[in-house]
Amino acid sequence: MQKRHHIRLHNAVFFGYHGNYAEERSLGARFHVDVDICTDFTEAARNDDLSKTVNYEAVYLLIQNLVTNHSFKLLESMAWRIAREILDRFPEAESVNVRVRKPGVPIKGAIDTVEVEVDEYR
């Protein structure tokens, strides 16, 4: 029987230079990221062994690197790239859900935040 366990990172916040408009890429903004990784961490839990599961600190650093050291025009591209990198670097991850939010988007109107969500599977 396959087990489904989850490792979640909620509301990791980074400053980056992303957006479709040159001003957004020049001024920068805050970006909020949630990640839900589906895995089987039975062996890690049974043996209390970090090497048998997805290291959430390493996931955080991966996200931090992508958001702060790269530039994306679309939130969709950022979310997809985060998801694919997690699956590529962590073979224990069976699937991943990534949500990226951008508060204070430059549109004509009142809005708290824009969010995109992607589900990727192995």
Side-chain angles (χ1 to χ4, degrees):
M1 171 186 264
Q2 184 179 19
K3 297 177 176 89
R4 296 181 55 90
H5 302 141
H6 295 268
I7 297 172
R8 296 184 176 105
L9 287 78
H10 287 281
N11 209 37
V13 180
F14 306 99
F15 195 87
Y17 298 88
H18 312 283
N20 194 53
Y21 302 110
E23 297 82 15
E24 294 175 287
R25 291 189 305 277
S26 173
L27 296 173
R30 286 179 301 124
F31 294 85
H32 301 233
V33 180
D34 298 334
V35 172
D36 182 347
I37 299 167
C38 183
T39 187
D40 178 355
F41 55 69
T42 303
E43 286 302 311
R46 184 176 289 138
N47 298 301
D48 203 22
D49 185 352
L50 179 60
S51 71
K52 305 283 186 197
T53 189
V54 176
N55 182 331
Y56 57 78
E57 181 181 20
V59 172
Y60 178 89
L61 294 172
L62 179 152
I63 298 165
Q64 180 182 44
N65 177 56
L66 287 171
V67 177
T68 61
N69 294 322
H70 294 80
S71 182
F72 300 96
K73 288 185 178 179
L74 301 177
L75 294 177
E76 294 88 328
S77 298
M78 183 191 300
W80 180 83
R81 177 82 180 273
I82 291 168
R84 292 311 317 166
E85 291 279 338
I86 290 170
L87 289 177
D88 289 347
R89 294 188 190 186
F90 300 95
E92 305 87 358
E94 298 167 7
S95 65
V96 62
N97 171 275
V98 176
R99 287 182 304 282
V100 175
R101 287 179 300 285
K102 183 176 182 179
V105 293
I107 62 173
K108 294 179 183 176
I111 189 169
D112 286 339
T113 187
V114 170
E115 178 178 88
V116 300
E117 181 173 359
V118 63
D119 292 303
E120 290 288 320
Y121 302 87
R122 190 162 299 288

